[in-house]
Amino acid sequence: MAQLLDGSGKLGWVLLRSVIRFVFMFLNNCVAIPSYCLYLILLQPLRIWDSSAFWHVEGVMFKWLLAMVSSWGWIAGYTVTEWGDDVRPISEEEAMVIVNHQSTGDVCTLMMCFQDKGTVVEKMMWLMDHVFKYTNFGLVSLIHGDFFIRQGKAHRDKQLVYLKDHLDKYYHSRDRKWIVLFPEGGFLRKRRETSQLFAKKNSLPHLNHVTLPRLGATNVILKTLSAQQENGSVGNETGTTNQTGNKRKGLQWVIDVTIAYPKARPMDIQTWIFGYRPPTVTHVHYRMYPIKEVPVAPEALTDWLYHRFVEKEELLTHFYDTGSFPPEDGQKEAVPRPMLLDPVWLCVIQSFAFASGFVWYSVLQYLYCCIF
């Protein structure tokens, strides 16, 4: 009987905490997202006068919004430990980031672990499934200039044309630096069986923790944002200029990010919102490749990309067997780096969001009373 009461008490506390978190996040969205939009409407004259300054301000506010999402997990004890290469020294250089995709929580994890990487979040472009457009954060991503891609054979060719047009129109004009995509084209649980059948049919590696990537978006990004050399690789100078007239170097790196969850249990967005899972450490492994090592020819690029995901499979197998990633070449053992967020900074951002919401509500209420 005592055990039953104790279990009921714990369940009641989990439910109460989940309700409190949901109410807080609902209010957080109600003040933060409208404030972001209204600030940008107010700053439209700056966009006409100095577009680069406008997009810099927008990027800062975008980073703050992502920090709020990060704080939801941070408060619940969902933290990140990083492994492999340190990507902070190249945070101001242009890079394409390829990530394995297991659940909706992957995006939240990336939002958190990119917070301490300089201006990366401010100048980042995301490629996401078109369904994300219809979430609470979809309007923010539309304004920021992220690209929403439709999956499926019926849309594939058109989507790649739309992606190229989108990159030509928004990537350089808004001074973007990092572009993030999930080459698998969907969640692991949804694509694994199809991927394994395709691999068996074409004598490709059998993968359990990742799926074989799709080439389309990666190929378009490399061709659009990098200069192709005669030897079939990509170079360092794109020949394009940014809004200040400075010549851009183009993509300098491909950053291969591998996300691993303890016991292979992915964190989803529902967990981030309600916080019903005990404190959990998500492990993120980075591996950097200079862009000059990346081929552009379709067959060579396909082979290169397949090798990256075979490496991810090996990394994840080692992690699930041992609880850590394998050491890099020349190291005796891998050394993890805890990713830390400043709680004071998070509190300041949240306070600014609620203060902004109150100010905008007062202003709009006053205008409504004056008009009606």
Side-chain angles (χ1 to χ4, degrees):
M1 186 65 177
Q3 290 182 344
L4 181 61
L5 291 174
D6 184 53
S8 300
K10 290 181 180 179
L11 178 60
W13 167 242
V14 170
L15 292 175
L16 177 61
R17 185 176 60 183
S18 297
V19 171
I20 294 173
R21 284 177 59 87
F22 178 80
V23 171
F24 172 76
M25 292 173 196
F26 177 79
L27 295 174
N28 200 180
N29 279 280
C30 287
V31 297
I33 294 177
S35 295
Y36 166 87
C37 297
L38 290 168
Y39 277 127
L40 294 183
I41 292 173
L42 186 66
L43 290 171
Q44 285 305 302
L46 177 63
R47 183 178 182 179
I48 298 172
W49 179 54
D50 188 346
S51 181
S52 61
F54 172 85
W55 289 113
H56 172 72
V57 174
E58 184 277 334
V60 171
M61 290 193 292
F62 183 79
K63 180 177 181 177
W64 291 352
L65 287 174
L66 267 59
M68 292 178 198
V69 177
S70 302
S71 70
W72 301 346
W74 190 262
I75 293 171
Y78 305 147
T79 58
V80 171
T81 292
E82 299 179 323
W83 304 73
D85 296 332
D86 185 359
V87 299
R88 284 174 295 183
I90 64 166
S91 62
E92 298 301 322
E93 300 181 31
E94 294 188 38
M96 178 177 69
V97 183
I98 56 175
V99 192
N100 63 313
H101 206 11
Q102 302 180 62
S103 71
T104 51
D106 297 339
V107 175
C108 299
T109 297
L110 293 175
M111 288 180 178
M112 177 183 287
C113 60
F114 288 153
Q115 285 294 321
D116 67 342
K117 307 297 187 295
T119 61
V120 162
V121 178
E122 301 170 25
K123 299 182 178 183
M124 177 178 287
M125 179 180 287
W126 297 75
L127 267 65
M128 294 173 287
D129 190 276
H130 78 286
V131 175
F132 192 79
K133 185 190 301 183
Y134 306 104
T135 66
N136 60 320
F137 214 75
L139 178 59
V140 173
S141 291
L142 278 172
I143 295 172
H144 184 69
D146 296 329
F147 184 77
F148 300 95
I149 191 166
R150 283 182 175 272
Q151 304 295 340
K153 294 180 179 180
H155 306 284
R156 190 170 300 163
D157 293 337
K158 286 185 177 180
Q159 289 299 300
L160 296 179
V161 174
Y162 294 154
L163 173 58
K164 186 181 186 310
D165 292 342
H166 187 87
L167 294 174
D168 288 336
K169 187 175 182 180
Y170 297 116
Y171 188 83
H172 294 304
S173 66
R174 298 186 182 184
D175 195 25
R176 298 295 175 242
K177 292 291 183 70
W178 284 24
I179 183 166
V180 181
L181 69 155
F182 301 92
E184 291 166 292
F187 297 141
L188 173 64
R189 67 179 186 276
K190 293 182 177 181
R191 291 208 61 244
R192 177 161 42 197
E193 183 177 354
T194 303
S195 175
Q196 289 175 345
L197 289 174
F198 178 83
K200 183 178 181 179
K201 182 179 179 181
N202 293 274
S203 301
L204 295 170
H206 181 86
L207 306 175
N208 290 308
H209 305 304
V210 295
T211 65
L212 290 171
R214 294 172 176 173
L215 180 66
T218 305
N219 192 33
V220 169
I221 291 170
L222 288 173
K223 286 188 174 182
T224 305
L225 303 181
S226 303
Q228 188 171 357
Q229 304 297 308
E230 294 181 358
N231 61 4
S233 63
V234 292
N236 296 330
E237 296 290 343
T238 63
T240 61
T241 56
N242 58 19
Q243 294 169 343
T244 61
N246 297 322
K247 192 171 183 179
R248 299 176 65 108
K249 293 183 177 180
L251 291 178
Q252 300 288 291
W253 303 90
V254 172
I255 302 174
D256 187 4
V257 179
T258 303
I259 299 176
Y261 298 97
K263 299 180 181 179
R265 292 179 57 209
M267 188 89 67
D268 54 31
I269 188 65
Q270 297 94 318
T271 307
W272 276 70
I273 293 174
F274 295 105
Y276 47 76
R277 184 182 293 190
T280 303
V281 179
T282 301
H283 298 262
V284 180
H285 183 278
Y286 302 95
R287 185 168 285 166
M288 303 188 304
Y289 296 91
I291 198 68
K292 62 183 180 181
E293 297 181 4
V294 182
V296 170
E299 290 186 4
L301 179 58
T302 300
D303 186 61
W304 186 88
L305 201 56
Y306 279 178
H307 273 85
R308 300 292 74 76
F309 276 77
V310 170
E311 288 178 355
K312 285 179 180 293
E313 175 77 11
E314 294 170 353
L315 287 171
L316 290 170
T317 299
H318 189 281
F319 178 84
Y320 295 139
D321 288 342
T322 66
S324 65
F325 284 109
E328 301 297 311
D329 293 339
Q331 294 182 343
K332 293 184 178 180
E333 61 177 338
V335 180
R337 304 181 300 274
M339 187 271 153
L340 301 176
L341 292 177
D342 185 353
V344 175
W345 179 61
L346 295 177
C347 288
V348 169
I349 292 174
Q350 292 284 7
S351 300
F352 178 76
F354 282 98
S356 296
F358 175 77
V359 170
W360 281 114
Y361 174 79
S362 301
V363 169
L364 294 176
Q365 185 182 46
Y366 173 78
L367 293 175
Y368 178 84
C369 294
C370 290
I371 296 173
F372 300 103

